[in-house]
Amino acid sequence: MKIKVTDIFSEKGTLRVKFNSPFGNATALWGGITLKIGETLDLELELDEIFSWGQNIMPSSDITPEITSENGAHKIIGELIQDADQRCAILKIGDPITLIELDKPITRKSRFVEVRATDILLHPTNA
């Protein structure tokens, strides 16, 4: 995912970046090399949480991929791709994809979902 860094700061000893992307703006944990404000990078987005249907992952009536931050959490809308009986799935946010872990397979079919995550972690793709 292409992002533009808009701010860099440390919070409780953890490096965070504010960024703009084609899908919205958010703040994320940074897990990579030194970066600069204004820099445009190609990054991988990671959600290091277990998602539970009806709690932090639910159907979305929106079908446009989106990333927003509100009340200290992140809302991500994307397309859910899952094989039956799997405890992991792919969240497709436009072209970029992110592997997410589920507490149990999702039996309800929903093409687009809203995911609520505590933190987003960004890593360089080395591309």
Side-chain angles (χ1 to χ4, degrees):
M1 171 184 307
K2 294 272 188 200
I3 66 131
K4 182 174 184 177
V5 177
T6 59
D7 195 13
I8 305 165
F9 61 97
S10 181
E11 184 177 83
K12 298 178 184 174
T14 304
L15 191 60
R16 295 185 180 266
V17 297
K18 287 187 178 180
F19 66 91
N20 294 337
S21 78
F23 310 105
N25 310 320
T27 301
L29 300 169
W30 176 246
I33 58 173
T34 304
L35 45 89
K36 298 175 187 158
I37 295 173
E39 193 170 4
T40 300
L41 303 164
D42 188 19
L43 303 173
E44 292 181 20
L45 182 142
E46 181 182 336
L47 302 173
D48 191 20
E49 297 180 36
I50 298 174
F51 293 93
S52 300
W53 189 254
Q55 292 178 19
N56 57 355
I57 183 170
M58 56 214 73
S60 174
S61 57
D62 291 329
I63 59 170
T64 303
E66 179 180 42
I67 299 173
T68 57
S69 295
E70 44 185 63
N71 302 326
H74 306 284
K75 178 177 89 170
I76 303 167
I77 296 174
E79 185 178 355
L80 184 70
I81 302 168
Q82 179 191 12
D83 288 335
D85 301 325
Q86 296 296 311
R87 292 186 58 168
C88 58
I90 293 172
L91 183 64
K92 189 170 187 235
I93 308 163
D95 285 333
I97 60 170
T98 299
L99 187 63
I100 61 172
E101 186 177 352
L102 306 169
D103 65 343
K104 58 185 175 184
I106 296 173
T107 56
R108 181 174 174 189
K109 298 295 178 206
S110 186
R111 184 167 170 214
F112 281 84
V113 294
E114 175 183 315
V115 169
R116 297 265 176 182
T118 305
D119 280 314
I120 296 172
L121 180 58
L122 297 175
H123 297 281
T125 59
N126 298 323

